[in-house]
Protein backbone atom coordinates (compact mmCIF):
# COMPACT_ATOMS: atom_id res chain seq x y z
CA UNK A 1 0.00 0.00 0.00
CA UNK A 2 1.14 3.52 -0.74
CA UNK A 3 0.71 6.50 1.54
CA UNK A 4 -0.85 9.68 0.19
CA UNK A 5 1.62 11.90 -1.60
CA UNK A 6 2.43 13.81 -4.72
CA UNK A 7 2.93 11.98 -8.02
CA UNK A 8 3.78 12.92 -11.59
CA UNK A 9 2.75 11.27 -14.85
CA UNK A 10 4.68 12.90 -17.70
CA UNK A 11 3.00 12.60 -21.08
CA UNK A 12 4.36 13.65 -24.45
CA UNK A 13 1.59 13.77 -27.01
CA UNK A 14 2.32 12.63 -30.57
CA UNK A 15 3.05 14.97 -33.45
CA UNK A 16 0.49 15.28 -36.23
CA UNK A 17 1.37 16.23 -39.81
CA UNK A 18 -1.53 17.54 -41.89
CA UNK A 19 -1.93 18.42 -45.54
CA UNK A 20 -5.17 20.20 -46.48
CA UNK A 21 -6.46 21.52 -49.77
CA UNK A 22 -9.53 23.38 -51.01
CA UNK A 23 -10.66 23.70 -54.58
CA UNK A 24 -13.18 26.40 -55.47
CA UNK A 25 -14.96 24.66 -58.35
CA UNK A 26 -17.02 27.82 -58.92
CA UNK A 27 -18.43 30.67 -56.81
CA UNK A 28 -21.03 28.36 -55.23
CA UNK A 29 -19.25 25.00 -54.85
CA UNK A 30 -16.08 24.06 -52.98
CA UNK A 31 -14.32 20.73 -52.40
CA UNK A 32 -11.91 20.06 -49.55
CA UNK A 33 -9.54 17.24 -48.62
CA UNK A 34 -7.29 16.41 -45.66
CA UNK A 35 -4.58 13.82 -45.11
CA UNK A 36 -3.12 13.41 -41.61
CA UNK A 37 -0.31 11.28 -40.22
CA UNK A 38 -0.11 10.84 -36.43
CA UNK A 39 3.11 9.65 -34.76
CA UNK A 40 1.41 7.40 -32.17
CA UNK A 41 4.54 5.22 -31.89
CA UNK A 42 6.20 8.09 -29.99
CA UNK A 43 3.67 7.57 -27.15
CA UNK A 44 5.31 4.56 -25.52
CA UNK A 45 3.73 4.61 -22.07
CA UNK A 46 2.49 6.71 -19.20
CA UNK A 47 4.51 6.13 -16.04
CA UNK A 48 3.19 7.31 -12.68
CA UNK A 49 6.05 8.26 -10.39
CA UNK A 50 5.89 9.20 -6.70
CA UNK A 51 7.62 12.49 -6.01
CA UNK A 52 9.55 11.15 -3.04
CA UNK A 53 13.33 11.02 -2.56
CA UNK A 54 13.55 7.75 -4.55
CA UNK A 55 11.07 8.78 -7.30
CA UNK A 56 9.30 5.46 -6.75
CA UNK A 57 7.33 4.16 -9.76
CA UNK A 58 3.73 3.35 -8.78
CA UNK A 59 2.14 2.72 -12.18
CA UNK A 60 3.00 1.88 -15.76
CA UNK A 61 0.54 1.99 -18.67
CA UNK A 62 2.20 0.77 -21.89
CA UNK A 63 0.71 1.69 -25.25
CA UNK A 64 2.89 0.28 -28.07
CA UNK A 65 0.64 1.96 -30.62
CA UNK A 66 1.21 2.22 -34.36
CA UNK A 67 1.37 5.39 -36.45
CA UNK A 68 -1.88 6.15 -38.26
CA UNK A 69 -3.32 7.85 -41.32
CA UNK A 70 -6.54 9.83 -41.56
CA UNK A 71 -8.03 11.12 -44.78
CA UNK A 72 -11.20 13.02 -45.55
CA UNK A 73 -13.04 14.61 -48.44
CA UNK A 74 -15.86 17.10 -48.27
CA UNK A 75 -17.85 19.66 -50.17
CA UNK A 76 -19.82 22.86 -49.58
CA UNK A 77 -22.58 24.13 -51.83
CA UNK A 78 -24.06 27.60 -51.53
CA UNK A 79 -27.64 26.82 -52.55
CA UNK A 80 -28.54 30.49 -52.15
CA UNK A 81 -27.36 33.55 -50.21
CA UNK A 82 -29.23 32.13 -47.21
CA UNK A 83 -28.36 28.39 -47.31
CA UNK A 84 -25.08 26.46 -47.51
CA UNK A 85 -25.07 22.66 -47.50
CA UNK A 86 -22.08 20.51 -46.48
CA UNK A 87 -21.18 16.84 -46.71
CA UNK A 88 -18.08 14.84 -45.90
CA UNK A 89 -16.56 11.38 -45.68
CA UNK A 90 -13.48 10.26 -43.74
CA UNK A 91 -11.48 7.17 -42.81
CA UNK A 92 -9.48 7.15 -39.57
CA UNK A 93 -7.05 4.35 -38.69
CA UNK A 94 -6.70 3.14 -35.13
CA UNK A 95 -3.32 3.20 -33.40
CA UNK A 96 -4.20 0.04 -31.43
CA UNK A 97 -3.95 -3.53 -32.62
CA UNK A 98 -5.01 -6.93 -31.30
CA UNK A 99 -1.80 -7.48 -29.29
CA UNK A 100 -2.10 -4.22 -27.33
CA UNK A 101 -5.84 -3.40 -27.36
CA UNK A 102 -7.44 -3.24 -23.91
CA UNK A 103 -11.01 -2.79 -22.67
CA UNK A 104 -10.00 0.73 -21.55
CA UNK A 105 -9.69 1.75 -25.20
CA UNK A 106 -11.36 -0.85 -27.44
CA UNK A 107 -10.56 1.21 -30.53
CA UNK A 108 -10.62 0.14 -34.18
CA UNK A 109 -10.64 1.85 -37.58
CA UNK A 110 -13.48 4.33 -38.06
CA UNK A 111 -15.52 5.56 -41.01
CA UNK A 112 -17.17 8.97 -40.63
CA UNK A 113 -20.11 10.43 -42.57
CA UNK A 114 -21.07 14.10 -42.08
CA UNK A 115 -23.86 16.43 -43.18
CA UNK A 116 -24.29 20.10 -42.34
CA UNK A 117 -26.28 23.21 -43.11
CA UNK A 118 -25.87 26.94 -42.50
CA UNK A 119 -28.87 29.24 -42.62
CA UNK A 120 -27.79 32.87 -42.90
CA UNK A 121 -30.86 34.39 -41.23
CA UNK A 122 -29.66 37.99 -41.53
CA UNK A 123 -26.29 39.53 -42.47
CA UNK A 124 -25.48 39.52 -38.74
CA UNK A 125 -26.92 36.15 -37.65
CA UNK A 126 -26.73 32.52 -38.75
CA UNK A 127 -27.79 29.09 -37.53
CA UNK A 128 -25.63 26.02 -38.15
CA UNK A 129 -26.72 22.40 -37.88
CA UNK A 130 -24.64 19.27 -38.31
CA UNK A 131 -24.87 15.50 -38.05
CA UNK A 132 -22.05 12.96 -38.03
CA UNK A 133 -22.27 9.17 -38.00
CA UNK A 134 -19.16 7.32 -36.85
CA UNK A 135 -18.98 3.62 -37.67
CA UNK A 136 -16.31 1.74 -35.73
CA UNK A 137 -15.06 -1.57 -37.10
CA UNK A 138 -15.71 -4.38 -34.60
CA UNK A 139 -12.52 -4.57 -32.50
CA UNK A 140 -11.45 -7.72 -30.75
CA UNK A 141 -9.34 -8.12 -27.64
CA UNK A 142 -7.21 -11.12 -26.76
CA UNK A 143 -4.74 -10.25 -24.00
CA UNK A 144 -3.24 -11.88 -20.92
CA UNK A 145 -2.98 -9.89 -17.70
CA UNK A 146 0.07 -9.80 -15.43
CA UNK A 147 -1.70 -12.38 -13.24
CA UNK A 148 -2.04 -14.75 -16.20
CA UNK A 149 -5.80 -14.38 -16.70
CA UNK A 150 -6.99 -14.13 -20.30
CA UNK A 151 -9.44 -11.54 -21.62
CA UNK A 152 -11.00 -12.41 -24.96
CA UNK A 153 -13.92 -10.68 -26.58
CA UNK A 154 -15.38 -8.46 -29.25
CA UNK A 155 -16.67 -4.90 -29.00
CA UNK A 156 -19.30 -3.10 -31.04
CA UNK A 157 -19.47 0.64 -31.41
CA UNK A 158 -20.85 3.59 -33.30
CA UNK A 159 -21.78 7.17 -32.55
CA UNK A 160 -24.39 9.66 -33.78
CA UNK A 161 -23.36 13.25 -33.16
CA UNK A 162 -25.73 16.19 -33.57
CA UNK A 163 -24.88 19.86 -33.27
CA UNK A 164 -26.71 23.17 -33.51
CA UNK A 165 -25.16 26.59 -33.09
CA UNK A 166 -26.24 30.19 -33.48
CA UNK A 167 -23.86 32.99 -34.48
CA UNK A 168 -24.36 36.72 -34.04
CA UNK A 169 -22.06 39.46 -35.33
CA UNK A 170 -22.01 42.85 -33.65
Amino acid sequence: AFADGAVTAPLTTPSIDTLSAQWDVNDDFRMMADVQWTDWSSLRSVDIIRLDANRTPVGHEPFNWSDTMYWSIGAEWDFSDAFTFRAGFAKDETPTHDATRTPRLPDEDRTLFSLGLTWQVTPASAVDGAYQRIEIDDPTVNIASSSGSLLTGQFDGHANLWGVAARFKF
Side-chain angles (χ1 to χ4, degrees), residues 24-94:
D24 295 336
V25 177
N26 58 44
D27 288 343
D28 298 327
F29 188 74
R30 294 161 298 285
M31 295 185 70
M32 293 78 71
D34 278 336
V35 176
Q36 242 178 34
W37 175 79
T38 303
D39 182 26
W40 285 112
S41 60
S42 66
L43 181 61
R44 303 267 184 230
S45 66
V46 173
D47 297 308
I48 303 169
I49 302 163
R50 180 178 279 293
L51 293 176
D52 57 11
N54 299 325
R55 295 191 59 85
T56 308
V58 294
H60 175 75
E61 180 73 28
F63 292 111
N64 301 314
W65 288 350
S66 302
D67 298 339
T68 62
M69 292 294 294
Y70 166 91
W71 65 267
S72 66
I73 58 172
E76 286 185 329
W77 175 43
D78 297 329
F79 177 74
S80 67
D81 289 343
F83 291 99
T84 299
F85 297 102
R86 294 176 187 81
F89 175 82
K91 294 292 273 184
D92 191 10
E93 294 178 335
T94 182

Side-chain angles (χ1 to χ4, degrees), residues 10-29:
L11 173 69
T12 301
T13 57
S15 65
I16 300 173
D17 297 324
T18 304
L19 176 64
S20 299
Q22 177 175 312
W23 177 36
D24 295 336
V25 177
N26 58 44
D27 288 343
D28 298 327
F29 188 74

Side-chain angles (χ1 to χ4, degrees), residues 80-84 86 117-128 167-169:
S80 67
D81 289 343
F83 291 99
T84 299
R86 294 176 187 81
L117 167 72
T118 295
W119 174 29
Q120 191 71 43
V121 181
T122 70
S125 63
V127 176
D128 297 299
R167 294 180 285 140
F168 300 97
K169 296 179 191 176

Side-chain angles (χ1 to χ4, degrees), residues 126-143:
V127 176
D128 297 299
Y131 167 73
Q132 184 173 64
R133 170 74 176 193
I134 303 174
E135 288 287 338
I136 304 169
D137 291 353
D138 294 336
T140 59
V141 63
N142 187 5
I143 58 172

